[in-house]
Amino acid sequence: MTDEKDERRPAGELEAAVMAALWAAGEPLTPSRVQRELGVGLARTTVTTILSRLHDKGVVGRERLGRGYAYFAVQDAPGLTARRMHGELARDTDRETVLARFVAQLSADDEQVLRRLLEGDER
């Protein structure tokens, strides 16, 4: 049985909460352990489904633990954000326009960071 709260919460929000739990743990977690770490009344089956979907996306890895799996993050938060940005860019055929509009909407500080990175000064 799925918890009523599970159905109302956007998948992205649940995925973010699961990722936060994995990052905070710093070690592989079973779905039951992730469920306990979240402490928000999610069904274990819901947590397992989210972890499986994240694994299918390549965002988490897993290792066999008994009859199930323990999951771990394969990217940190900035890496995951960069992956999402690449995904959004890949959805559009006019990449030049998308990039131009993205850059046009950057703050002055972010523009300076981008310029520095493009020039190869990654500090």
Side-chain angles (χ1 to χ4, degrees), residues 77-98:
L80 185 56
T81 300
R83 180 186 173 109
R84 287 183 183 137
M85 291 169 70
H86 278 282
E88 288 301 316
L89 183 59
R91 287 187 204 5
D92 200 299
T93 56
D94 189 359
R95 295 170 72 96
E96 185 174 345
T97 300
V98 172

Side-chain angles (χ1 to χ4, degrees), residues 3-20:
D3 184 44
E4 203 174 302
K5 292 180 184 176
D6 295 354
E7 295 174 14
R8 290 192 303 237
R9 212 169 305 178
E13 181 182 320
L14 291 174
E15 288 181 357
V18 167
M19 291 303 298

Side-chain angles (χ1 to χ4, degrees), residues 27 39 79:
E27 65 181 1

